[in-house]
Amino acid sequence: MVLYVACLPLSNGDVREHLLHWTAYLIEHGRFAALGDGFSEYAPPYLYLLSLGTLLAPLTGQLVAIKLVSIAGTLFLAGCMRWLLAAVVDRDTARRGALLLLVIPTVVANGPAWGQCDALYAGFVLVAVGGVARGRIALAMLATGVAVSFKLQAVFIAPLVLATLLASRGRWWTLAFLPSAFAAMMVPAWLAGRPALDLARLYVTQGEYFHDLARSVPNMWQVLRALAPNLPYGPGVVVGLIVAAIAVVLVALAARDRLDDPRRVLLVALTGAMLVPYVLPKMHNRYFFLADVLSFAYASASPSPRAARIAVLVQLASLLAYATFLVHLMGGAFVGALVMTCALIMTIREFDAKVAPLGTGLAVTPEIQGRTRPELRRRRPNTAR
């Protein structure tokens, strides 16, 4: 609480150039009526919450009102983390994981310090992952649709969604819940007067906001751009989209037989959250936030030295990218890209590693990964006792 309160007066370029202007626009043009105008490039669901937050502005000031919305989103994220972990570990571990999430560096930097809202879409993604882990596929699809309505980065769990359908764990018709949930979240803005076509093209418009293959993001395009400064934008976007699509399909095909354990579901989600933004162009420095959260969740659910190293490296890479904007650290995103590359390699190795058969009661450690199934079956009665 002390840490979050200390973050309330902190400001930055995004707050001064965007969030404060949007808050003032909501107050001046009517909290509901303003939603019918395209005054912000952010998706309407966040603007709904920001509009409610402006009710506190006369008491707290606009900056603090913005931060309180972000902090509320962070608390929501922690609650979703507890729900996700409860599908994998015992209740006490899930509660500890949710509490610890509130103080990991990128979570504090993203919401309370930066005033951003990535915790909102990430929270719904955690609900989606927990839904798949519990076999509640309709809930997972609904949560994914809501997450996409907040931010398009929610599509980074596309490998898990596709793997779930390929494994016949859910009906293909449940995909209809994704656009349905997205459309439902746009209804208030439409009722306020915003054109339906404008809302349907929301993310197409966002994609035209800047023309840059990498925006201080720790991914491969940051490295490629440093090695080849004149890398053409158009071909780079096409190549990146094709590589990302291939990566999604390959991960889904490899994962479709690995969804019988909640830990594996979590690992598939983490792999997508790291690999997709790593190969996609036009990413921002905060686009690994979902990987930050899921790597922490995986380390909490499957404690091992490698899982812990992955979580630490992802945090470090993201923080270096954050620092390029928040404290103007030169070269932070480039170094972060190298760190993220190491984390991604370790994650892929974890993804390919052998997993103990269900019901053995054994932790997934290097000591048991090389054992055969008969050896594990022979140990099962003793482990149970």
Side-chain angles (χ1 to χ4, degrees), residues 364-380:
V364 184
T365 62
E367 289 75 14
I368 71 170
Q369 283 179 357
R371 297 186 179 179
T372 63
R373 289 179 178 269
E375 290 175 333
L376 291 169
R377 283 196 293 268
R378 285 197 294 271
R379 280 197 57 184
R380 191 181 302 173

Side-chain angles (χ1 to χ4, degrees), residues 55-96:
L55 295 173
L56 299 173
L59 298 175
T60 64
Q62 293 185 16
L63 175 60
V64 174
I66 293 168
K67 293 294 189 73
L68 290 177
V69 172
S70 299
I71 290 174
T74 305
L75 296 175
F76 167 74
L77 177 66
C80 296
M81 175 63 75
R82 179 177 179 178
W83 190 78
L84 169 61
L85 290 178
V88 189
V89 296
D90 61 89
R91 187 174 301 176
D92 289 339
T93 303
R95 183 172 62 250
R96 286 195 296 270

Side-chain angles (χ1 to χ4, degrees), residues 19 133 206 301:
L19 295 173
Q206 283 188 4

Side-chain angles (χ1 to χ4, degrees), residues 228-243:
N230 297 322
L231 200 63
Y233 170 78
V237 170
V238 173
V239 170
L241 290 174
I242 293 174
V243 172

